[in-house]
Structures are given as C-alpha cells and as structure tokens.
Amino acid sequence: FFLTFNFRHVLASHFGLPDIHGSFFATLSLLASILLFEKNTRRRYIFAGVSVALFLSIKFQLFALGPYLVSHLIWVFRKKDWKYLFNKDFIMSLISIPVVFLVLNPYLFRDINAFIERTNYTMLRYEAGFFHFRLYPYFDLYHWGIGELPSIAIIIGLILMILAPIAATMIQLAVSRKR
C-alpha cells in the first residue's frame, strides 16, 4: 500500500532501477520494526532481523537498523530492566542480520577489493559520511530523480512548513492583543 503512492518507487519502476527493490525492503523492514514495537515475540524479532538484512543486502545502507534498534530499546524501557537489552531473541535476530547478508552476498568475498573500490567511489560522489555540501545529489534529484516540478513543489512545501508555525503564532498574538 505504501509503495503504491511512493512517487520515487513508481518512477524507478518505469526505468527498472534498483531503487524499487530498496524501497520495498526498506518498507518491509519498517513494517517488521512496527510489528516488533507492538509485540516482542521471538518470531517478530527474527522477522525484523531478516528484514533488516534483506534491505542491507539490496542497498548496502544502514537506514533500516534505526527503527529496529529503537523498537528494541522501547521494549527495554517498557520492561524497566537493562538485562533485557541482551535478550536472547534480540541476540538471535542480531545474528540473523549478518548471516542472511552473507548468504545473499557471497560474491563480496570473491572480489572484496572491487566492492570496496566501488563503494568508496559512490561515497566520494555523494560525499556520504562527510560534512560537506555538495550540489551533485541535489542536481541529480532535481533533473532525474524527482523531476523539476516536484522538486520545486517540495522546496515551496518546506518553506511553508517553516513559515506556518510562525504565521500561526503571529495570528494568535494579534488575536490575544485585541482581547
């Protein structure tokens, strides 16, 4: 359902880009984390771990780990027991992440140097992990990733989101002064 209305997913599916797989598995891992948040059974821990591993196997990005770890930490706080941080179900799901990743990506070890070289090139291209402002990712999104009109609409929307609370506060101050 979420992928149906995801503009990036629909656009990428027309071109057959690998982002369609990434958005599906990112959504799956988010769903697994939400299910884990609702109820912390062994089955849900394993499902969350495998879902995170599937996303990592597709995009080599760590975004899916955040909701998964937050869901577990919330359960630690709910139980009010720091020993629960190292729950056996959580440990099993943590172990399932590298196992599934390695099973799905055995070619990485066949030519690890080529993988590292390509990953470093991608990191330099997008300046991933660095605190530098590079225009290339925005240029890429504006011209090819999202498109010109949606990009302009997003920028206008961001500006309105910033200005809306300020405008609401000004209106409230003006109304309260009249009283």
Side-chain angles (χ1 to χ4, degrees), residues 22-106:
S23 61
F24 171 77
F25 286 111
T27 306
L28 181 70
S29 67
L30 183 62
L31 173 67
S33 297
I34 291 169
L35 291 174
L36 178 61
F37 172 77
E38 290 175 351
K39 190 174 181 184
N40 63 339
T41 63
R42 174 174 289 157
R43 182 178 291 187
R44 290 188 180 191
Y45 267 108
I46 298 298
F47 178 56
V50 169
S51 299
V52 168
L54 289 171
F55 176 71
L56 290 172
S57 297
I58 298 295
K59 289 294 280 183
F60 304 125
Q61 296 172 343
L62 301 175
F63 301 127
L65 249 126
Y68 163 70
L69 294 175
V70 167
S71 295
H72 175 66
L73 286 175
I74 288 172
W75 277 107
V76 170
F77 288 118
R78 283 180 183 170
K79 298 280 186 179
K80 297 179 182 175
D81 184 11
W82 286 103
K83 292 178 186 173
Y84 195 77
L85 187 62
F86 302 105
N87 174 6
K88 64 181 177 180
D89 296 335
F90 176 65
I91 299 297
M92 281 179 31
S93 69
L94 273 180
I95 291 170
S96 72
I97 294 172
V99 168
V100 171
F101 180 85
L102 293 174
V103 166
L104 293 177
N105 296 295

Side-chain angles (χ1 to χ4, degrees), residues 149-170:
L149 188 60
S151 295
I152 292 168
I154 289 169
I155 292 169
I156 291 170
L158 288 172
I159 292 169
L160 291 176
M161 278 179 23
I162 292 169
L163 295 179
I166 296 170
T169 303
M170 296 300 211

